[in-house]
Amino acid sequence: MSRPSPRSIPQTVAGMPPAPQLSGNSLPMQALRAQIGRIARCGAPVAIHGESGTGKELAARAIHAQGARASFPFIAVNCGAIPEALMEAEFFGCRPGAYTGALHERQGLFQAAHGGSLLLDEVDDLPLSMQVKLLRVLQEHRVRKLGGSTDEAVDVRILCASQHGLTRGVAAGTFRQDLFYRLNVIELALPPLRERRGDLQVLCEVILARLSPHRVVSLAPPVLAALAAYAFPGNVRELENVLERALAFADGGVIALDGLALPFAAGNVPLRAAPAMPAVSERQQCLPGMAVYGVAPVLPLDVYLRQAERDMIMLALVQARYHRARAARQLGLSVRQLRYRMQKLMIQEAILDERMDDR
């Protein structure tokens, strides 16, 4: 399979908003951009790691856009979102009749990214059986469709992303060491938002311009200081979530401090002083748009319920001294249900792991 002509690749549709880019001028971001520029000039595989919400896919897109493959496809796939039974067909394509329901020949992700770059997000979620097949493709630069009998050449630059880096999986025996050496040729670490607080103003401006393109929105003076004091375990993704919620309560295009409703900051809670359960009226007054108890809320019910659920889980964790099993029993949940709700509400477990000993 020869590399397609750049003219055959669809270009950005006129009038469509540009793809989000890494924003910020802090020293960590300046160093990151310089590193991306150097990495883009070569064609070696890159292993990107950083906390959830730091912009790993944006960094991968920047590497692709600044390299020689910029005119060819960039394909991103979340490895943890593909059912194991369908992984081979998704990655390498399939022939008709290869499995039940395969009525037509199908191109895989490697064929779709031919000539360009393929981002394997959460690559450490790949099962070992699929890691073996991926290793063969990286060694041979050829793929065989599921149900096929011949190989076809592919020319793809591999970028991968993970939250904690691949060395943890290698040490735990869940990630093949030989595949690690194929993927981890160049390592790129993304800084969390708490290490680049000087970018908050720029990030807020960029996010608000994207969320409200037809209305000018500004931040009241105390808002930026409140944002800078918060740990943001969910990083830029959580900042966008906070601003989108605050935008709904902005009067006259100004986001006020009482409209932020910043989540309970786990990192700022002392371990020895669990707070007492607040009264119902106090809980209502701490939420934007809520009046005293007995008055109907003036904010969407799902927003109030989500915030109340998050506060209750955080309070249970504090009272249980960050022991997930005890907190789950207190809430009437299983540990698995608690983990799911923490993930859904963006309560970063990494921050809690150091304080919890339920293993």
Side-chain angles (χ1 to χ4, degrees), residues 1-2 4 69 73-77 79 82 87-94 106-120 123 126 130-131 133-145 152-159 179 183:
M1 185 185 294
S2 61
R69 300 173 180 265
F74 174 89
I75 304 294
V77 56
C79 298
I82 304 176
M87 275 188 173
E88 189 171 356
E90 287 289 329
F91 277 93
F92 311 136
C94 68
R106 178 181 175 186
Q107 299 294 315
L109 294 168
F110 274 87
Q111 291 94 333
H114 181 65
S117 305
L118 176 61
L119 170 64
L120 304 176
V123 68
L126 284 175
M130 189 62 198
Q131 292 179 30
K133 297 169 184 174
L134 178 60
L135 176 64
R136 178 183 176 275
V137 173
L138 298 182
Q139 291 173 338
E140 305 290 337
H141 301 287
R142 304 180 70 84
V143 298
R144 178 178 296 182
K145 290 182 178 177
E152 52 185 300
V154 288
D155 176 21
V156 175
R157 183 179 191 182
I158 297 295
L159 311 171
L179 181 58
L183 294 175

Side-chain angles (χ1 to χ4, degrees), residues 225-248:
L227 293 174
Y230 178 57
F232 281 106
N235 294 288
V236 180
R237 184 181 292 121
E238 184 178 6
L239 174 63
E240 183 170 355
N241 174 276
V242 169
L243 292 177
E244 186 172 12
R245 181 172 62 242
L247 193 59

